[in-house]
Amino acid sequence: MFRDLGSAGVSPDISTHNILINSLCKLNRVDLGLSLLGGVFKRGYEPDVLTFNMLMKGFCSADKIGYAVELFVEMSKKGCPADVVTYGTLIDGLCKAGDTGMALRLLRRMGENRVRPNLEVYSAAIDGLCKVGSTADAYKLFKEMIDDGVKPNVITYNAMIDGFCKSGLTEDALKLFKEMVDNGIQADVITYNSLMQGFYDAGMWSKAKELLDGMADQGISPDAITFNIQMDALCREGKVDDAHVVLDAMIQRGLDPVVFNYNTLVDGYCLRGRMEDAVKVFDFMVARGQKPNTMTYNILINGYCKAKRMDDAMKLLMKMQFEGVKPDVVTYNTLIEGLFRVGRVVAAKELFNEMQPLGTKPNIITYNTLLNGLCKNECFEEAIKWFRIIQNGGVKIDGLCPVGQLEQCPPNDVTFNIMIRGLLKKKESLKAVQLAIEMRNRGFSANNSTLKMFYHMLENDENSLEYIKMIPDFAPKDDGK
């Protein structure tokens, strides 16, 4: 139709282009929307602020914040002044991408350009700061917003309350909650959920119960998240049967549990080693029409691996693939570690070799698991080869690794600690010392178990005095893998 306008002698104006660009962005085709922008310039039109805002929102919705920033810069070059919507869209996108620093700089630029931040802009920035743990900065901005004459709404309060709770500042959260109510702003289920989570995390169960009762008094119905917060708290305390009662109560109230509710309960049973009960919940979930997701399978697989029931774990991998649920890197990491733990080295290596052709890229945890398993099963030479592969960024050695496979997996402190312990176990003291020096040069430190093995080596090796001169000053860390 758009092309037909031109052939009919009707020249689409900027408003027509904007309508089409907006439609394409809503259909997640911001790429086509951007192509239309090129057409705008070609026809001699000047895009307006609405054009840029729609495209910017499209890029932010598609998690392409870099393109949104580039568009903002281009907008300035074209002499098109940004409005509050422009800034709000970009600040929200930057915060969701975790770049709160740039978001705050943009917020300050608004004042310089005489564009007054509105409630949506402040709320997005406050929420972004809280989500990255910068609660103090968020509260400072919260107070600044009020001083600027912008009144917070329930969304702003919820972001701030959740930030306080996640930082362990439950008393501050409760104080803000009371302020919110005193200001005539009605709390919602999100408010109560944040507070309940905060109090459960702080071990203040009676306070959490008071809040749950308070919800009922205010006529606010608990949702799936409310029930899940209770279930998770009970499971963490080992009270998995009580958590099951909560799930049953949820159903009795006419609220259908969703996947994450079942996952919480399955995990609770697995952590207690009650695999049969975990499987019953899994089956019950399926019977009620909820499709298990990758996390559901990962929880069960982890439970079987911890119980050293590797045949059951491998059957579950086949089942999830048959059901069309794609295993992720956690699935493979868990299974590889489990297979190594029971001495099934060949099966672990086969699974490792299978994962990438099936579309799952190994990460550094995968390679650390491989090295650790090989060392613990005394396959030292193979572990050393793989360690060199990791160091070389995926260079092919003895046919073990395709070129480029490890491009994004440089060795970390865990990698070095695993290999040093492996070398010490093999009584390759000199190689262990040399690797320790390399580790220190890269800014990594030995953990406690590695240090203990070093001390044992120094007590028993005839070359200990020479090694003492070579060994760098290690800073002990908590025990790792």
Side-chain angles (χ1 to χ4, degrees), residues 374-375 378-385 422-423 425-426:
L374 290 169
C375 287
E378 300 191 356
C379 304
F380 298 113
E381 295 305 321
E382 195 169 350
I384 290 166
K385 283 182 179 180
L423 289 167
K425 188 176 178 183
K426 195 187 174 190

Side-chain angles (χ1 to χ4, degrees), residues 66-350:
Y67 289 103
V69 172
E70 285 179 22
L71 200 61
F72 179 80
V73 173
E74 184 66 23
M75 182 179 181
S76 179
K77 287 179 182 176
K78 295 291 180 185
C80 181
D83 62 10
V84 68
V85 176
T86 317
Y87 284 107
T89 300
L90 196 52
I91 286 169
D92 184 53
L94 286 164
C95 286
K96 284 175 179 171
D99 193 350
T100 53
M102 189 170 180
L104 284 179
R105 288 194 296 275
L106 207 58
L107 180 63
R108 300 306 171 206
R109 189 189 288 187
M110 289 182 75
E112 294 168 9
N113 292 337
R114 298 183 181 180
V115 180
R116 189 174 178 227
N118 61 13
L119 178 61
E120 287 72 25
V121 174
Y122 276 117
S123 295
I126 288 165
D127 184 55
L129 286 166
C130 287
K131 279 187 167 57
V132 297
S134 300
T135 313
D137 290 334
Y139 190 59
K140 194 183 294 182
L141 190 60
F142 180 83
K143 300 299 284 184
E144 181 185 313
M145 174 186 76
I146 295 170
D147 291 341
D148 195 30
V150 180
K151 291 183 179 179
N153 62 7
V154 66
I155 295 170
T156 325
Y157 274 107
N158 283 349
M160 202 64 249
I161 287 168
D162 190 58
F164 277 137
C165 287
K166 282 186 168 62
S167 298
L169 303 169
T170 49
E171 291 305 317
D172 290 323
L174 196 58
K175 184 180 174 183
L176 198 61
F177 171 68
K178 287 175 181 174
E179 177 191 305
M180 170 184 171
V181 175
D182 290 343
N183 287 337
I185 297 171
Q186 177 67 48
D188 59 15
V189 68
I190 296 170
T191 321
Y192 282 98
N193 285 347
S194 293
L195 286 164
M196 282 178 61
Q197 183 71 68
F199 284 121
Y200 275 126
D201 288 345
M204 301 166 73
W205 287 51
S206 58
K207 283 277 191 184
K209 179 69 169 61
E210 283 177 28
L211 282 164
L212 187 61
D213 294 338
M215 284 180 73
D217 294 341
Q218 293 296 319
I220 299 170
S221 299
D223 61 9
I225 295 172
T226 317
F227 284 102
N228 205 63
I229 289 166
Q230 297 174 73
M231 290 166 62
D232 180 62
L234 289 164
C235 287
R236 280 186 283 155
E237 291 291 312
K239 299 176 180 179
V240 64
D241 291 312
D242 292 338
H244 205 144
V245 170
V246 172
L247 183 80
D248 291 338
M250 185 178 177
I251 295 169
Q252 287 166 13
R253 292 182 62 142
L255 189 61
D256 282 332
V258 292
V259 175
F260 62 76
N261 296 120
Y262 290 108
N263 287 353
T264 298
L265 193 56
V266 171
D267 191 42
Y269 279 124
C270 287
L271 289 172
R272 307 300 295 174
R274 294 169 60 177
M275 293 307 300
E276 280 65 34
D277 288 320
V279 172
K280 283 179 185 176
V281 175
F282 179 91
D283 292 339
F284 180 67
M285 167 188 183
V286 174
R288 286 188 63 86
Q290 288 290 336
K291 185 178 179 181
N293 59 16
T294 303
M295 184 176 285
T296 319
Y297 283 101
N298 285 349
I299 290 166
L300 267 178
I301 286 170
N302 186 54
Y304 279 131
C305 289
K306 290 281 190 290
K308 298 184 178 180
R309 294 170 56 176
M310 292 311 301
D311 287 338
D312 290 324
M314 292 301 290
K315 284 177 186 174
L316 205 55
L317 173 66
M318 288 187 282
K319 178 181 173 66
M320 76 184 288
Q321 290 170 323
F322 178 77
E323 295 291 340
V325 181
K326 191 177 185 300
D328 62 10
V329 69
V330 176
T331 318
Y332 285 104
N333 290 351
T334 304
L335 285 164
I336 290 166
E337 183 179 21
L339 290 165
F340 274 126
R341 189 184 291 126
V342 297
R344 293 171 61 175
V345 176
V346 173
K349 290 194 292 184
E350 286 176 352

Side-chain angles (χ1 to χ4, degrees), residues 405-468:
Q405 184 175 348
L406 302 181
E407 204 169 291
Q408 302 298 320
C409 297
N412 59 13
D413 58 335
V414 177
T415 319
F416 279 98
N417 276 284
I418 288 167
M419 287 309 302
I420 290 169
R421 290 199 300 270
L423 289 167
L424 289 171
K425 188 176 178 183
K426 195 187 174 190
K427 304 204 182 300
E428 295 273 8
S429 303
L430 179 58
K431 287 181 181 179
V433 170
Q434 289 169 340
L435 194 56
I437 294 167
E438 182 182 342
M439 175 174 72
R440 187 60 175 177
N441 289 339
R442 291 194 182 210
F444 300 131
S445 304
N447 60 27
N448 288 337
S449 58
T450 306
L451 284 170
K452 285 175 187 176
M453 291 186 73
F454 257 120
Y455 296 148
H456 179 75
M457 178 268 289
L458 293 173
E459 287 173 0
N460 296 281
D461 196 297
E462 59 183 20
N463 296 314
S464 59
L465 289 175
E466 192 63 32
Y467 295 148
I468 288 171

Side-chain angles (χ1 to χ4, degrees), residues 331-401:
T331 318
Y332 285 104
N333 290 351
T334 304
L335 285 164
I336 290 166
E337 183 179 21
L339 290 165
F340 274 126
R341 189 184 291 126
V342 297
R344 293 171 61 175
V345 176
V346 173
K349 290 194 292 184
E350 286 176 352
L351 192 61
F352 172 81
N353 290 330
E354 285 172 14
M355 65 186 287
Q356 189 148 317
L358 291 174
T360 304
K361 187 178 180 180
N363 60 16
I364 191 58
I365 297 172
T366 317
Y367 292 106
N368 287 343
T369 302
L370 177 69
L371 292 176
N372 198 45
L374 290 169
C375 287
K376 285 189 173 179
N377 285 276
E378 300 191 356
C379 304
F380 298 113
E381 295 305 321
E382 195 169 350
I384 290 166
K385 283 182 179 180
W386 271 108
F387 178 70
R388 294 306 172 199
I389 289 170
I390 295 169
Q391 279 188 309
N392 295 332
V395 177
K396 194 171 182 180
I397 299 178
D398 293 347
L400 283 172
C401 175

